[in-house]
Amino acid sequence: MAGNSFGHIFRITTFGESHGPALGVIVDGCPPNIALTESDIQFDLNRRKPGQSKVTTQRKEKDIVQILSGVFEGKTTGTPIALIIFNKDQRSSDYDAIKNLLRPGHADFTYLKKFGIRDYRGGGRASGRETAARVAAGAVAKKILDQYKINIVAYTLAIGGIYAEKMNYTSIENNLVRTPDMNAAKRMEEKILEAQKKNDSVGGIVEAIVHGCPSGLGDPIFDKLDAKLAHAIMSIGAVKAIEFGSGFKAAAMLGSDHNDKFYLDGERVRTISNNAGGILGGIATGEDIVFRVAIKPTSSIAQPQQTLTTDGKEATIKVLGRHDPCLCPRIVPVVEAMTAITLADALLSQKTMLSDR
Amino acid sequence: MAGNSFGHIFRITTFGESHGPALGVIVDGCPPNIALTESDIQFDLNRRKPGQSKVTTQRKEKDIVQILSGVFEGKTTGTPIALIIFNKDQRSSDYDAIKNLLRPGHADFTYLKKFGIRDYRGGGRASGRETAARVAAGAVAKKILDQYKINIVAYTLAIGGIYAEKMNYTSIENNLVRTPDMNAAKRMEEKILEAQKKNDSVGGIVEAIVHGCPSGLGDPIFDKLDAKLAHAIMSIGAVKAIEFGSGFKAAAMLGSDHNDKFYLDGERVRTISNNAGGILGGIATGEDIVFRVAIKPTSSIAQPQQTLTTDGKEATIKVLGRHDPCLCPRIVPVVEAMTAITLADALLSQKTMLSDR
Amino acid sequence: MAGNSFGHIFRITTFGESHGPALGVIVDGCPPNIALTESDIQFDLNRRKPGQSKVTTQRKEKDIVQILSGVFEGKTTGTPIALIIFNKDQRSSDYDAIKNLLRPGHADFTYLKKFGIRDYRGGGRASGRETAARVAAGAVAKKILDQYKINIVAYTLAIGGIYAEKMNYTSIENNLVRTPDMNAAKRMEEKILEAQKKNDSVGGIVEAIVHGCPSGLGDPIFDKLDAKLAHAIMSIGAVKAIEFGSGFKAAAMLGSDHNDKFYLDGERVRTISNNAGGILGGIATGEDIVFRVAIKPTSSIAQPQQTLTTDGKEATIKVLGRHDPCLCPRIVPVVEAMTAITLADALLSQKTMLSDR
Amino acid sequence: MAGNSFGHIFRITTFGESHGPALGVIVDGCPPNIALTESDIQFDLNRRKPGQSKVTTQRKEKDIVQILSGVFEGKTTGTPIALIIFNKDQRSSDYDAIKNLLRPGHADFTYLKKFGIRDYRGGGRASGRETAARVAAGAVAKKILDQYKINIVAYTLAIGGIYAEKMNYTSIENNLVRTPDMNAAKRMEEKILEAQKKNDSVGGIVEAIVHGCPSGLGDPIFDKLDAKLAHAIMSIGAVKAIEFGSGFKAAAMLGSDHNDKFYLDGERVRTISNNAGGILGGIATGEDIVFRVAIKPTSSIAQPQQTLTTDGKEATIKVLGRHDPCLCPRIVPVVEAMTAITLADALLSQKTMLSDR
């Protein structure tokens, strides 16, 4: 059924295929009177766009966004905001040779089983290109969060086993892999280029931190903030795992170590540690929300792989075309966007719980 | 806003607090003509109920379920199925002493911030006791899955760093911790009792495997099967992380290793490896769906902890009462239930995509 | 699919059959800290309950409501409020004789076609008895509206062609048919008893007026306030039509007559006339919301009617048992309840559109 | 909150203002493998487009639709179908003179109260122009209904008190007012032109009939088929009322007359009369679904009317520009579209209730 909307109150609905005429999103439920221009949105789109460096795909898309509705004289009006990005640099012929082959790691097989038909050009709807619409919508969500001084930062924590260690968050955008450790950046970059040279790809970990989230956000028991974030983030292609705060480490801990003790910081109730990752009982505590996301290595690789044709015959495939040897650098703004969308929804939701009488 | 429903087509809505008169669930959208009795539901409730062994809480609840609607002459009618479990063994006085204290690791603080009021008795709505309603609903979902021979098995994979290694799935219910390795079971049990003796608690990992899931289930791009499962599972209290297939290991892998190669098994398209965890592009492949879940150590521990009163004064708390020293044994059926509910929803959803002309 | 929930933010989910053990509702999304007791709810349930006078069914149900969750020390907590009413006076044997006959005007045939199974006892889920759950939920919604001084009054406007003319709204509850005209009441009552004597039933019109609805409520373009009200009201069994303000009369009017002119009343923008019925562009104007609802004559009548058996043979049916000869008197509180639920949802929704910065 | 989506399984989300760059819709949940071209959609858009005759507005919009996604090689793929219509003939200067005036009968005042900001050009989002997106989506829905031989016909039943009487449904598209009675058409046309000459407008009634709807569609108790249709139709601007089957006449009828008696027509269970309007208990019976809709006279009239400025000063307004003197001819395809969308949703929903084992 209809699975292309996300959010209840701040709700996005996206459309578009990798090689169709355009991609886009309708953002519904955005409050009125928020200043919004195309350049607000373009900023994040540029961070996600292809062809931005030697460690990303060389497909050239400027990903210029246009606002089609919902904004009047520079301000949101409360009506649906439609954002569109026209595709410019499709090279569908790249896909002719493999249109009857099942690419390993891709959704070719499952789309065929689900729908009985599939747009094979560039992966169609299953392309990572759909995330452009998410990033555009996320930029709108961030405008809401700005009003509350909620700030999201995401970055590459690890690539192919190499971890950022000495964190300097101001340097994230100063290296090609978007990591806060300039030394690790160098080694991560080499790791990527090395994989690429072997017609291979490599995975990584993206970490996100939300500063300034007001306590109280999240809607138990099913729309807990961590549950919604997990939903949002896991819906991004190539994500294999998510952990909050202590994450998998919690499994080997004792309660006496894991419990974050409360203390008073001025007038504010805080916790000494943050194993909770900023969320208790599915509701934000006010501490930083922290989570990590595992990104699998890109499935499109140019080396020969065993596979089947769509009608079940044995075959070998090389996925040529232009692909990212590592998804992390470009997935960072997508993780931010989905986080922003989830928080905007939770923020507006919380307004319905507050007494104004 | 209203966050106590889950699922679109097969939709559950739950209610109830730990020390209120009753807990329950309305299961809406269940197809008609499915045989359903209270004993079908009681079976899983018994696996979740408190007081079942020396490694669980000693609160004594029989958790007897009653069907209030939606079943006629032993069969579902397509109308909402209401299931109710009356609370019997509340001991609210246990909570009088701590009603003005913020229990570390618990949702006391966040519920107060969210709602400005809270039922402090046994954690109120934030109690793990609410999962009884999930398990009851899950038993209904399993009846649907049975018709398609979809089978879910969940078990304790690790407790406090001790892992099950030699898997024998038939022995899961033959030990107190619900693990498929009887040797590990012994050591896990000891680990729990040791923590308990020190007024402490311990975390673990639960793994779930779905056999026989038809390829095609899952609704991209936001209601991908893994995204919905992550939402479902992360909404269970105490869960800190979830990973599918290769999970966090994918972050250090190469694409050539991670890609699952396709081959033909009789007439069926299969993959040699299953790093995908049974889901590609958010849609089931037909291979086993495999995921692991990190469970934090129980927050309620009887040793003194630093905290604050609800009005911000420094204090020390000991959470007395009856608690599970490790949540894994009883969370296993909850993981199964949420998995079943998610799959039933996806299964019914897929019917709307199939041509019948 | 799951069709037993209504509302987005203030959301109700109901269950129960006429002759099952109980009926009930979960009210989710109700703000916290609202005083709520069972007697608040019982008041409206008593106005709807069967057996209240000689012009209603003689089935004797006290319809005593119990709050199972979501209320603590007399106040809502923001968690789901479950309300339950146990059935006491089922007389299922009344239905044995007709269990294989299709009652004209009833949903026997359509439930069979939809579900392939049906609880024939008292109409099962299709019974008017399900409206008890709506009324219970409506009483909760009214508590929210009370905080904003929004007041709903509904009443019988006409029965069998006899209209209330001289309106005195304080007398609505002083006559058996719930009409604001005591003279008309007498004649309406006679009309009902006359129909009853002939083993027949009679239809009517219910009118509702909402006073004090703040301007701004309603969510274009699909969740317009009138569209949601129409949905809510048309979902009540036996309703055949709804009209707002000028209603069907608008079809023969000129724009110059129909347009409500604006004027200033103190500081408030008002309209001289109210053909709009208090809603423009799907959003409340602040004037009274006014609508009328056509109620068909009760389908259950004791005179012989031509019909078919469930397996398609010709037959004659007399629907014996205990039935309302006219639905209006008891449907009045149901119309109020569905109106209150719709307004509460719109009211909470509007909070998400208002700037608080 | 987000109110610009309609439908659960077949779900549409629309955007666009009268004088913005474009209008459009995302149709999500449409099954795959349905042949769909732009000309399928253009056909109905042409029936709705402005400037089509002397009795409609003279704004010239070709309303050319483009498919942006969800269709591959002429067939739907199961992914979201985005449809876009660019605005071409905006004349926003028409609105400069009245941008600070509250147009009577329009949503200027209520949008201001709701959102605190409004795009005054051509009514912005509140313009009837948004219905172009509904019609486009409706054309997709009709392609689904075609597979089941479900056919919808809507037409003008009355204008300004003049009723169609001798019905000949083949002539609906042969006259300017879209009525099935060519004689009445003449008089209706005159009525419109007469009103227009006086700078006035006139209301009317549109009737819709659905042939071939399978019994079983509709999802009690809140998503009853008539309740959903009422929601869908009442969400169209200018609609003041809806009645099904006997409608308001039911209010004066006896049960013995109103009940539709069952009989066997070959192997099919049918009813002799159709007071139910094809729906019993909220579920389609298989008889024709019949409803009537009251359309208010166009609010935009060029004669002087008393009003207020947006800051509350007395003023006089003449709404110049290009407007329909009667909305019926162009609203007919909109009624069809919303009916088709509702039925497509109910049809797909019913698939989830049917056993396939």
Side-chain angles (χ1 to χ4, degrees):
Chain A
M1 61 171 283
N4 294 278
S5 295
F6 188 77
H8 292 293
I9 293 178
F10 182 87
R11 182 171 54 197
I12 70 166
T13 305
T14 74
F15 69 90
E17 284 93 32
S18 182
H19 288 220
L23 296 144
V25 59
I26 300 178
V27 179
D28 199 9
C30 182
N33 282 304
I34 296 174
L36 182 70
T37 64
E38 278 148 353
S39 63
D40 288 324
I41 302 164
Q42 199 62 50
F43 177 80
D44 275 341
L45 280 173
N46 289 349
R47 295 171 65 222
R48 194 218 72 97
K49 78 177 173 194
Q52 62 184 263
S53 85
K54 64 182 173 183
V55 299
T56 69
T57 170
Q58 295 308 303
R59 178 169 170 174
K60 291 293 177 199
E61 292 283 357
K62 290 200 168 161
D63 282 354
I64 302 299
V65 71
Q66 274 177 265
I67 299 175
L68 294 179
S69 67
V71 175
F72 182 60
E73 298 180 342
K75 288 192 173 170
T76 60
T77 61
T79 60
I81 301 167
L83 306 173
I84 196 165
I85 297 158
F86 286 93
N87 287 323
K88 299 288 188 191
D89 187 31
Q90 305 98 311
R91 218 193 275 163
S92 302
S93 56
D94 283 355
Y95 292 87
D96 284 348
I98 57 172
K99 72 179 183 180
N100 296 320
L101 295 175
L102 302 177
R103 291 173 301 161
H106 278 285
D108 302 344
F109 172 62
T110 51
Y111 268 64
L112 267 180
K113 293 299 279 189
K114 180 170 194 67
F115 299 119
I117 184 176
R118 125 192 126 87
D119 177 354
Y120 60 81
R121 302 164 307 162
R125 181 69 177 151
S127 168
R129 190 146 176 71
E130 61 84 1
T131 59
R134 301 179 188 234
V135 169
V140 180
K142 284 181 180 179
K143 297 290 286 187
I144 298 174
L145 303 186
D146 283 352
Q147 299 186 310
Y148 291 80
K149 302 198 192 306
I150 304 171
N151 182 255
I152 300 165
V153 57
Y155 47 82
T156 298
L157 179 67
I159 286 177
I162 301 166
Y163 277 74
E165 280 164 357
K166 290 199 185 159
M167 301 309 209
N168 177 359
Y169 298 113
T170 62
S171 62
I172 294 170
E173 295 293 322
N174 296 338
N175 60 76
L176 302 187
V177 294
R178 290 202 168 84
T179 192
D181 175 342
M182 291 302 279
N183 277 325
K186 196 120 220 159
R187 285 177 293 136
M188 289 175 181
E189 201 183 296
E190 281 159 16
K191 190 88 181 180
I192 295 174
L193 295 173
E194 182 194 333
Q196 192 178 35
K197 205 183 296 174
K198 296 181 184 160
N199 288 326
D200 215 330
S201 63
V202 63
I205 298 175
V206 168
E207 186 167 70
I209 303 179
V210 182
H211 303 288
C213 181
S215 56
L217 303 200
D219 295 281
I221 60 161
F222 295 117
D223 290 340
K224 289 177 172 176
L225 192 54
D226 37 3
K228 289 297 293 272
L229 283 167
H231 185 155
I233 300 298
M234 284 294 316
S235 78
I236 304 170
V239 171
K240 295 305 295 172
I242 186 165
E243 61 176 10
F244 290 81
S246 57
F248 273 100
K249 277 187 195 147
M253 288 174 76
L254 295 175
S256 53
D257 289 331
H258 194 275
N259 281 350
D260 303 312
K261 277 77 185 176
F262 289 104
Y263 76 102
L264 210 61
D265 177 11
E267 299 218 318
R268 191 174 146 210
V269 173
R270 298 202 53 184
T271 58
I272 296 171
S273 51
N274 189 14
N275 287 313
I279 299 171
L280 278 175
I283 302 170
T285 61
E287 298 298 323
D288 283 354
I289 296 172
V290 182
F291 59 87
R292 280 166 302 283
V293 182
I295 313 294
K296 72 175 184 180
T298 318
S299 300
S300 294
I301 52 175
Q303 57 180 269
Q305 297 171 88
Q306 166 189 340
T307 191
L308 296 172
T309 61
T310 50
D311 55 355
K313 298 203 177 69
E314 288 181 16
T316 297
I317 189 170
K318 283 192 209 181
V319 183
L320 303 172
R322 302 161 295 178
H323 306 288
D324 293 274
C326 177
L327 297 167
C328 289
R330 292 180 60 214
I331 225 169
V332 162
V334 183
V335 167
E336 287 177 18
M338 292 309 296
T339 304
I341 289 161
T342 306
L343 289 174
D345 195 37
L347 192 67
L348 297 180
S349 173
Q350 179 61 0
K351 291 191 179 196
T352 70
M353 278 290 123
L354 297 173
S355 178
D356 52 3
R357 298 273 145 164
Chain B
M1 62 172 283
N4 295 279
S5 295
F6 188 77
H8 292 294
I9 293 177
F10 183 87
R11 182 169 56 200
I12 69 166
T13 304
T14 73
F15 70 89
E17 285 91 33
S18 181
H19 289 219
L23 297 143
V25 59
I26 301 178
V27 178
D28 199 9
C30 181
N33 281 306
I34 296 174
L36 182 70
T37 64
E38 279 148 354
S39 64
D40 288 324
I41 302 165
Q42 199 61 51
F43 177 79
D44 275 341
L45 280 172
N46 288 350
R47 293 171 65 222
R48 194 217 73 95
K49 77 176 174 193
Q52 62 185 265
S53 83
K54 62 182 173 182
V55 299
T56 69
T57 170
Q58 297 307 305
R59 178 169 171 175
K60 294 290 179 201
E61 292 284 358
K62 289 200 170 163
D63 283 353
I64 301 298
V65 70
Q66 275 177 266
I67 299 174
L68 294 179
S69 66
V71 175
F72 181 61
E73 298 180 343
K75 288 192 173 171
T76 60
T77 61
T79 61
I81 302 165
L83 305 173
I84 197 164
I85 298 157
F86 286 92
N87 287 323
K88 300 288 187 191
D89 187 32
Q90 304 100 309
R91 217 192 276 162
S92 302
S93 55
D94 282 354
Y95 292 87
D96 283 347
I98 58 171
K99 72 179 181 179
N100 296 318
L101 295 174
L102 302 178
R103 291 172 300 161
H106 278 285
D108 302 344
F109 172 62
T110 52
Y111 267 64
L112 267 179
K113 293 299 278 188
K114 180 170 195 69
F115 299 118
I117 183 175
R118 123 191 127 87
D119 177 353
Y120 60 83
R121 301 164 306 163
R125 181 69 178 151
S127 167
R129 187 143 178 73
E130 61 85 0
T131 59
R134 301 179 187 233
V135 169
V140 180
K142 284 181 179 179
K143 296 290 286 188
I144 298 175
L145 303 185
D146 283 351
Q147 297 187 309
Y148 292 80
K149 303 197 191 308
I150 303 172
N151 181 255
I152 301 165
V153 57
Y155 48 83
T156 298
L157 178 66
I159 285 177
I162 301 166
Y163 277 75
E165 282 163 356
K166 290 200 185 156
M167 302 308 210
N168 176 0
Y169 298 113
T170 61
S171 62
I172 295 171
E173 295 293 323
N174 297 337
N175 60 76
L176 302 186
V177 293
R178 292 203 166 84
T179 192
D181 175 342
M182 291 301 279
N183 277 324
K186 194 122 220 156
R187 285 177 295 136
M188 290 174 180
E189 201 183 299
E190 281 160 16
K191 189 87 182 179
I192 294 173
L193 295 174
E194 180 194 336
Q196 191 178 34
K197 206 183 296 174
K198 297 179 184 162
N199 288 326
D200 215 331
S201 62
V202 63
I205 297 175
V206 168
E207 187 166 69
I209 303 179
V210 181
H211 302 289
C213 181
S215 55
L217 302 201
D219 294 280
I221 58 163
F222 295 116
D223 289 341
K224 288 176 172 176
L225 192 54
D226 37 3
K228 290 295 297 272
L229 282 168
H231 186 153
I233 299 297
M234 284 294 316
S235 78
I236 303 170
V239 172
K240 296 306 294 173
I242 185 166
E243 61 177 11
F244 290 83
S246 57
F248 273 100
K249 277 186 196 148
M253 287 173 79
L254 296 174
S256 54
D257 288 331
H258 194 274
N259 281 349
D260 302 312
K261 278 75 184 175
F262 289 104
Y263 76 102
L264 210 61
D265 178 12
E267 299 216 322
R268 191 175 145 208
V269 173
R270 300 201 52 183
T271 58
I272 296 171
S273 52
N274 188 15
N275 287 313
I279 299 172
L280 278 175
I283 302 171
T285 62
E287 298 297 324
D288 282 355
I289 297 173
V290 182
F291 61 87
R292 280 167 300 283
V293 183
I295 313 294
K296 72 174 183 180
T298 318
S299 300
S300 293
I301 52 175
Q303 58 180 269
Q305 299 171 84
Q306 167 188 339
T307 193
L308 297 172
T309 61
T310 52
D311 55 355
K313 298 204 178 67
E314 289 181 16
T316 297
I317 189 170
K318 282 193 210 181
V319 183
L320 302 174
R322 303 161 294 176
H323 307 288
D324 293 275
C326 176
L327 297 167
C328 289
R330 291 180 59 215
I331 225 169
V332 162
V334 183
V335 168
E336 286 176 18
M338 292 309 295
T339 303
I341 289 160
T342 305
L343 290 173
D345 196 34
L347 191 69
L348 297 180
S349 173
Q350 178 62 359
K351 291 190 179 195
T352 70
M353 279 287 124
L354 296 174
S355 178
D356 52 2
R357 297 271 146 165
Chain C
M1 60 172 282
N4 294 280
S5 295
F6 189 77
H8 292 294
I9 293 177
F10 182 88
R11 181 170 54 200
I12 69 167
T13 303
T14 74
F15 69 90
E17 284 92 31
S18 182
H19 288 220
L23 296 144
V25 59
I26 301 177
V27 179
D28 198 10
C30 182
N33 283 305
I34 296 174
L36 181 71
T37 63
E38 279 148 353
S39 64
D40 288 324
I41 302 164
Q42 199 61 50
F43 178 80
D44 275 341
L45 280 173
N46 289 348
R47 294 170 66 222
R48 195 217 72 96
K49 77 177 175 193
Q52 61 184 267
S53 84
K54 64 181 172 182
V55 297
T56 69
T57 169
Q58 295 309 303
R59 178 169 169 174
K60 293 292 179 201
E61 291 284 357
K62 289 200 169 163
D63 282 353
I64 301 298
V65 70
Q66 274 177 265
I67 299 175
L68 294 180
S69 66
V71 175
F72 181 60
E73 297 180 344
K75 289 192 172 171
T76 59
T77 62
T79 60
I81 301 166
L83 305 173
I84 197 165
I85 297 157
F86 286 92
N87 287 322
K88 300 288 188 189
D89 188 31
Q90 304 99 310
R91 217 192 277 162
S92 302
S93 56
D94 283 354
Y95 292 87
D96 284 347
I98 58 171
K99 73 178 181 180
N100 295 320
L101 295 175
L102 302 177
R103 290 172 301 161
H106 277 286
D108 302 343
F109 173 63
T110 53
Y111 267 64
L112 266 181
K113 293 298 279 190
K114 181 171 194 68
F115 298 118
I117 183 176
R118 125 191 126 86
D119 177 352
Y120 61 80
R121 302 164 306 163
R125 182 69 178 150
S127 167
R129 188 144 178 72
E130 60 84 0
T131 60
R134 301 179 187 235
V135 169
V140 180
K142 284 181 179 179
K143 296 290 287 186
I144 298 175
L145 303 185
D146 283 352
Q147 298 186 310
Y148 292 81
K149 304 199 189 306
I150 303 171
N151 182 255
I152 300 164
V153 56
Y155 47 84
T156 298
L157 179 67
I159 285 177
I162 301 166
Y163 277 74
E165 281 163 356
K166 291 199 183 159
M167 301 308 209
N168 177 359
Y169 298 113
T170 60
S171 61
I172 294 169
E173 295 293 323
N174 297 337
N175 60 77
L176 302 186
V177 293
R178 292 203 166 85
T179 193
D181 175 344
M182 293 301 279
N183 277 325
K186 195 121 220 157
R187 285 177 294 136
M188 290 174 180
E189 201 183 296
E190 283 160 14
K191 190 85 180 180
I192 295 173
L193 295 174
E194 181 193 334
Q196 191 178 35
K197 204 184 296 172
K198 296 180 184 161
N199 288 326
D200 215 331
S201 63
V202 64
I205 297 175
V206 167
E207 187 166 68
I209 303 178
V210 181
H211 303 288
C213 181
S215 56
L217 302 199
D219 295 282
I221 61 164
F222 295 117
D223 290 341
K224 289 177 171 174
L225 192 55
D226 37 2
K228 289 295 295 271
L229 283 167
H231 186 154
I233 300 297
M234 283 294 316
S235 77
I236 304 169
V239 171
K240 296 304 295 174
I242 186 166
E243 62 177 10
F244 290 82
S246 57
F248 272 100
K249 277 186 195 149
M253 288 173 77
L254 295 173
S256 54
D257 288 331
H258 193 274
N259 280 350
D260 302 313
K261 277 76 185 176
F262 288 104
Y263 77 102
L264 210 60
D265 178 11
E267 299 216 320
R268 192 175 145 210
V269 173
R270 300 202 51 185
T271 57
I272 296 171
S273 52
N274 188 15
N275 287 313
I279 299 171
L280 278 175
I283 302 170
T285 61
E287 299 296 324
D288 283 354
I289 296 172
V290 183
F291 61 87
R292 281 166 299 284
V293 183
I295 313 294
K296 72 174 184 180
T298 317
S299 299
S300 294
I301 52 175
Q303 58 179 269
Q305 299 171 85
Q306 167 188 340
T307 192
L308 296 172
T309 62
T310 51
D311 54 355
K313 298 206 177 66
E314 289 181 18
T316 298
I317 189 170
K318 283 192 208 181
V319 183
L320 302 173
R322 302 161 296 177
H323 307 288
D324 293 275
C326 177
L327 298 167
C328 289
R330 292 180 59 214
I331 225 168
V332 161
V334 183
V335 167
E336 287 176 18
M338 292 309 295
T339 303
I341 289 161
T342 305
L343 289 173
D345 195 36
L347 192 69
L348 297 180
S349 173
Q350 178 61 0
K351 290 191 178 194
T352 70
M353 279 287 123
L354 296 173
S355 179
D356 53 1
R357 296 273 147 164
Chain D
M1 62 171 282
N4 294 278
S5 295
F6 188 78
H8 292 294
I9 293 178
F10 183 88
R11 180 170 58 199
I12 69 167
T13 304
T14 74
F15 69 89
E17 285 92 33
S18 181
H19 289 220
L23 297 144
V25 59
I26 300 178
V27 179
D28 199 9
C30 181
N33 282 306
I34 297 174
L36 182 70
T37 65
E38 280 149 353
S39 63
D40 288 324
I41 302 165
Q42 199 62 50
F43 178 79
D44 275 342
L45 280 173
N46 289 349
R47 294 170 66 220
R48 195 217 72 96
K49 78 177 172 193
Q52 63 183 263
S53 84
K54 63 182 172 182
V55 299
T56 69
T57 169
Q58 296 308 303
R59 178 170 171 176
K60 293 292 180 200
E61 291 284 357
K62 289 202 169 158
D63 283 353
I64 302 297
V65 71
Q66 275 176 265
I67 298 174
L68 294 179
S69 67
V71 175
F72 181 61
E73 298 180 342
K75 289 194 174 170
T76 59
T77 62
T79 61
I81 301 167
L83 305 174
I84 197 166
I85 297 158
F86 286 93
N87 287 322
K88 299 290 187 189
D89 187 30
Q90 305 98 312
R91 220 192 272 163
S92 302
S93 57
D94 283 356
Y95 292 87
D96 284 347
I98 58 171
K99 72 179 181 180
N100 297 319
L101 295 175
L102 301 177
R103 291 172 300 160
H106 277 286
D108 302 344
F109 172 63
T110 52
Y111 267 64
L112 267 179
K113 293 299 279 188
K114 180 170 195 68
F115 298 119
I117 183 175
R118 120 192 132 88
D119 177 353
Y120 60 82
R121 303 164 306 162
R125 181 71 178 150
S127 167
R129 188 143 179 71
E130 59 86 0
T131 59
R134 301 180 188 233
V135 169
V140 180
K142 284 181 180 179
K143 296 289 287 188
I144 298 175
L145 303 186
D146 283 352
Q147 299 186 309
Y148 293 80
K149 303 199 191 308
I150 303 172
N151 182 255
I152 301 166
V153 57
Y155 48 81
T156 299
L157 179 68
I159 286 178
I162 301 167
Y163 277 74
E165 281 163 355
K166 290 196 184 160
M167 302 310 210
N168 176 359
Y169 298 113
T170 63
S171 61
I172 294 170
E173 294 294 323
N174 296 337
N175 60 76
L176 303 186
V177 294
R178 291 203 164 84
T179 193
D181 175 342
M182 292 301 279
N183 277 325
K186 196 121 219 157
R187 285 177 294 137
M188 289 175 182
E189 202 183 297
E190 282 161 14
K191 189 85 180 179
I192 294 174
L193 295 174
E194 182 194 332
Q196 191 178 35
K197 207 184 294 174
K198 294 180 184 161
N199 288 326
D200 215 331
S201 63
V202 64
I205 297 174
V206 168
E207 187 166 70
I209 303 179
V210 181
H211 303 288
C213 182
S215 55
L217 303 200
D219 294 282
I221 60 161
F222 294 117
D223 290 340
K224 288 176 172 176
L225 192 55
D226 37 4
K228 288 297 295 272
L229 283 167
H231 186 154
I233 299 298
M234 283 295 315
S235 79
I236 304 170
V239 171
K240 296 305 297 173
I242 185 166
E243 60 176 12
F244 290 81
S246 58
F248 273 100
K249 277 187 195 149
M253 288 172 77
L254 296 174
S256 54
D257 289 331
H258 195 274
N259 281 349
D260 303 312
K261 277 76 185 175
F262 288 105
Y263 76 101
L264 210 62
D265 177 12
E267 298 217 322
R268 195 176 143 208
V269 172
R270 300 201 53 184
T271 57
I272 296 171
S273 52
N274 188 15
N275 287 312
I279 299 171
L280 278 175
I283 302 171
T285 62
E287 298 296 324
D288 283 353
I289 296 173
V290 183
F291 60 86
R292 281 166 300 284
V293 182
I295 313 294
K296 73 174 182 179
T298 318
S299 299
S300 293
I301 53 174
Q303 58 178 270
Q305 299 172 85
Q306 167 189 338
T307 191
L308 296 171
T309 62
T310 50
D311 55 355
K313 300 207 177 65
E314 289 182 14
T316 298
I317 190 170
K318 284 192 207 181
V319 182
L320 303 173
R322 301 161 296 177
H323 306 290
D324 293 275
C326 177
L327 296 168
C328 290
R330 290 180 60 214
I331 226 169
V332 161
V334 183
V335 167
E336 287 176 17
M338 292 308 296
T339 304
I341 289 160
T342 306
L343 289 174
D345 195 36
L347 192 68
L348 296 180
S349 173
Q350 179 61 1
K351 290 190 180 196
T352 69
M353 278 289 123
L354 296 173
S355 178
D356 53 2
R357 296 275 146 162

